[in-house]
Amino acid sequence: MKKNLITTGLYVDKFNDHPDFFLGRWAIDYECENLKNDINDYHWDDRRILHNDFNEINSLYENLLPKISQSLNELHNIKKSRRYWRILIGPWLGIWLQIMLDRWKSIISLKYKEDEFETTIAKYDDFELAAVDTRDFIDNLSSSDEFNHIIYSKIIKFNNFIKFHESKSFSVHNIKRQNNKKIFQLLKNKLKNIICNVVNIFSLNNKIVFIDTYLSLSQKISLDVNLSQFPSILNNSIDFKHSNNTINNLRGNIKINYSAKSQFEEFILINIVEMMPKLFIEDYKNASEKINKTLWPKSPDTIIAAVLIVNDFTKLWVAEKVEAGSKLVIEQHGGHYGSGKFSFYESHELKISDLYLSWGWDNGNKKIKKIAHPKLRTNITYNKNGGIYQILMALPRYSYTLYSAPIASQVYEYANDQLMFSKTLKDELQKKLSVKFALTNRGYDQRKRYDDDLSFFKEGKENIYKAINNNRLIVCTYNATTILECIAANIPTVIFWNFDYWELNKQAEPYFNELKKVNILHDGYESAANFINDNWEDIDSWWHSTETQDVVNNFKNKYAYTHSNWKDSWIEAIKNIADK
């Protein structure tokens, strides 16, 4: 049977009368979800295949990284190490490869179906496929219908087994970057930069540097003082004007000395230079000069950072200092770390660091040190007469970085499970329910789902600490920081998720199984909602029972470790790594 293939949420004009066939759920608007849509099976619904592909794409990443490092060294006439380039371009390269593999496998899966497919491809000659930097790629480009339509189109043209028509009337235009900063915010940033620069003049010779950490300003200042150095404030907004366009002649000089071993690798080599962010090519020299002029410490012995993924200016500064001999300490910045079965971010951070500060786990890695983190507060109280606070996350419709979590079409199931949990609560409990939506929608219209389908609920807008103060029970729906914050503070918590998607590593399984035995963790929304329905009046006695508290304390020691004298352990760890 002949079918019209729709790859993304862009509905390009059809050249046929065939019934529509959607490449994945990401191509269907919320308003059309309940129609009888013909949707392709998602290749990574078989998680065994996902795990294998994760390992294979990481192998390709490791093979390409030294080749790309060499090419960029030659382009910029420099001699930087592989570690330097891993810090700077590694996050983009890893995520880009993972995205390309996902899009490739979606198209290739159609090759083995009995149907014949036709599709329409929009004109995209003027579309800029190179992101400004890593943040722009992750936040804007990779999740857009426009970018993904072009990637699918390129894969279709490359493989040439799907009949395609090129639209003469529909063009894909460059996406508009969101810039919501108003005049007040811009002035505030200017003032902040002035203050930072004045303060940082006195810390240029600091040997221990905290940058992009999970520490509060007061905690960081306290550590600086205890380390006998003047506190620095390295959260300047770097004022930098990026290139408007890519320079084809410059990119044409980039030759990657790698022999493709498959058609997929051939496709990668054809497209990688065109899509590499401008900051690594056109803007690299100016960005390097800019960061060298920034009033940040000049020769640190040790750098402590939490997030070295999206901020390329921070990564550039860190890479330069590590290249010059600085030690790099990465601190854990959230949940899932140490417990998830696989995570690109976790493996990347372990590879670039000299020391990794975890919230309790080590998984047999000598580079990892267990340490108490002040983000995990213990001085929080909950309201025994309060309600239920359900916390949601938002994942993009299209896959991006790979970790053990719902991916692409599976995110629809996550969104639906949240609504079903709320609807399964008793009517009187629904009236006590507050739902905390993620700050960004990311394509699956969570808020609209609730507005359309649930009569009684309040939108929770306060931060987690105020939410705890106002509620009797916190409901966590994904493996992330909130779980650890609640358990560290010994707050009544119910967790539910789909065990097929939130896979755990072998070291974590026993601890999460114990959570399941005492009804903290549930396999799916129905079990969690029914438990709350049956035990609402006895939540406090359930949580504070000896059996539950033993499990909570054991889990806390492994994944949410706290200590009143956290500062001394940080200073000891920092001094030890600095002395090596």
Side-chain angles (χ1 to χ4, degrees), residues 197-215:
N197 287 334
V198 171
V199 172
N200 291 342
I201 288 174
F202 301 97
S203 60
L204 290 177
N205 295 320
N206 280 9
K207 293 303 179 183
I208 310 295
V209 176
F210 300 90
I211 187 168
D212 285 3
T213 77
Y214 238 29
L215 300 167

Side-chain angles (χ1 to χ4, degrees), residues 42 116 268 301 307 393 446:
Y42 187 50
E116 292 182 36
I268 289 300
D301 292 332
V307 186
M393 76 180 307
Q446 287 182 337

Side-chain angles (χ1 to χ4, degrees), residues 292-531:
N292 285 332
K293 293 177 181 177
T294 303
L295 291 175
W296 293 354
K298 300 304 179 184
S299 301
D301 292 332
T302 305
I303 299 168
I304 299 95
V307 186
L308 289 179
I309 300 294
V310 298
N311 190 329
D312 285 342
F313 286 100
T314 299
K315 289 189 293 177
L316 183 56
W317 181 83
V318 170
E320 291 286 355
K321 300 311 172 188
V322 169
E323 192 81 348
S326 299
K327 300 289 179 59
L328 178 58
V329 178
I330 301 286
E331 54 165 306
Q332 180 179 339
H333 54 95
H336 196 281
Y337 283 84
S339 63
K341 187 171 184 176
F342 61 95
S343 166
F344 172 68
Y345 283 176
E346 181 181 319
S347 61
H348 169 74
E349 290 167 10
L350 285 170
K351 285 175 182 175
I352 65 172
S353 61
D354 295 292
L355 176 67
Y356 190 94
L357 303 179
S358 89
W359 294 359
W361 55 277
D362 62 30
N363 293 349
N365 189 330
K366 294 181 180 179
K367 185 186 283 189
I368 301 171
K369 178 178 176 58
K370 171 181 178 178
I371 202 162
H373 201 293
K375 179 172 178 59
L376 300 176
R377 295 164 53 180
T378 58
N379 59 339
I380 314 171
T381 58
Y382 63 95
N383 184 353
K384 294 181 180 181
N385 298 313
I388 304 169
Y389 199 81
Q390 180 186 357
I391 303 173
L392 277 57
M393 76 180 307
L395 290 164
R397 289 181 297 136
Y398 301 95
S399 76
Y400 69 129
T401 185
L402 293 182
Y403 68 112
S404 49
I407 298 171
S409 289
Q410 298 156 7
V411 178
Y412 166 81
E413 295 179 43
Y414 170 83
N416 189 56
D417 284 350
Q418 307 316 305
L419 183 60
M420 290 305 298
F421 165 81
S422 304
K423 293 174 68 174
T424 305
L425 292 173
K426 293 177 180 179
D427 289 346
E428 59 267 29
L429 293 183
Q430 288 184 23
K431 295 176 183 179
K432 296 179 181 291
L433 176 67
S434 296
V435 180
K436 173 71 170 179
F437 297 100
L439 294 176
T440 53
N441 177 31
R442 306 187 84 172
Y444 274 99
D445 298 299
Q446 287 182 337
R447 174 60 196 261
K448 188 165 176 40
R449 293 173 192 276
Y450 271 79
D451 287 339
D452 291 348
D453 213 3
L454 198 66
S455 301
F456 303 106
F457 84 95
K458 299 185 293 292
E459 181 175 357
K461 295 184 177 181
E462 61 265 60
N463 65 37
I464 182 60
Y465 304 118
K466 288 185 179 179
I468 290 172
N469 291 153
N470 295 332
N471 289 278
R472 184 191 303 188
L473 180 68
I474 305 297
V475 178
C476 300
T477 63
Y478 54 101
N479 187 6
T481 313
T482 307
I483 294 172
L484 307 184
E485 290 175 312
C486 290
I487 288 182
N490 201 21
I491 302 300
T493 305
V494 165
I495 307 163
F496 76 88
W497 59 53
N498 186 329
F499 285 17
D500 291 337
Y501 299 148
W502 296 97
E503 302 100 323
L504 302 166
N505 60 46
K506 290 182 179 179
Q507 294 90 341
E509 283 179 352
Y511 294 89
F512 283 82
N513 285 339
E514 289 299 311
L515 294 181
K516 189 176 180 182
K517 286 179 182 178
V518 296
N519 291 305
I520 295 175
L521 175 63
H522 297 260
D523 185 3
Y525 69 85
E526 191 171 8
S527 172
N530 287 336
F531 174 78

Side-chain angles (χ1 to χ4, degrees), residues 157 184 200 229 241 279 326 340 388 487 519 524 536 565:
K157 289 180 178 180
F184 175 76
N200 291 342
Q229 59 183 25
K241 187 175 182 179
L279 192 126
S326 299
I388 304 169
I487 288 182
N519 291 305
W536 177 247
N565 199 16

Side-chain angles (χ1 to χ4, degrees), residues 26 43 134 156 159 164 242 253 261 381 385 401 434 467 545 551 579:
W26 54 80
H43 48 274
T134 303
I156 288 169
N159 284 283
F164 64 88
H242 291 275
N253 292 330
K261 300 175 181 63
T381 58
N385 298 313
T401 185
S434 296
S545 68
V551 170
D579 291 340

